[in-house]
Amino acid sequence: MDSKKISECMTRNMKKNNITAKSLSEKTGISVERIEEYMSGEFVPKAFELRLIAHEISVPLISLIHGGGWIEYYMKDENGKTVCKWEEY
């Protein structure tokens, strides 16, 4: 895993969702200092921390691990028709 890509995705989505390091720390139980180290790319979060962080910043875990990007979703609309939606993380 690339710590810089993870940190960029993490920081970008925290800003997008108005989440501070302090609030992320409170929600995940990870210290503010450690969150800031992850945001700087100094360290890679452990697997269980990645899962917690991804959930709190509203990013699919696989997207966070790969440093963000576009995800394609298939879903049913109100008429039951399958539609495709792309979202960037």
Side-chain angles (χ1 to χ4, degrees), residues 20-30 32 35:
T20 64
K22 182 180 179 190
S23 67
L24 184 58
S25 171
E26 291 168 355
K27 291 177 181 180
T28 61
I30 303 168
V32 174
I35 296 281

Side-chain angles (χ1 to χ4, degrees), residues 1-14 20-22 24-25 28-54 56-57 64-65 67:
M1 287 184 273
D2 185 330
S3 64
K4 287 292 182 192
K5 286 184 179 180
I6 291 171
S7 74
E8 290 169 3
C9 179
M10 189 174 157
T11 302
R12 181 175 56 251
N13 285 283
M14 286 173 67
T20 64
K22 182 180 179 190
L24 184 58
S25 171
T28 61
I30 303 168
S31 72
V32 174
E33 294 79 15
R34 185 56 75 170
I35 296 281
E36 290 171 347
E37 289 171 341
Y38 296 154
M39 291 174 69
S40 72
E42 193 172 339
F43 294 102
V44 174
K46 296 175 181 162
F48 77 94
E49 292 171 323
L50 282 166
R51 185 176 56 84
L52 293 171
I53 291 166
E56 292 302 330
I57 65 173
L64 180 59
I65 290 170

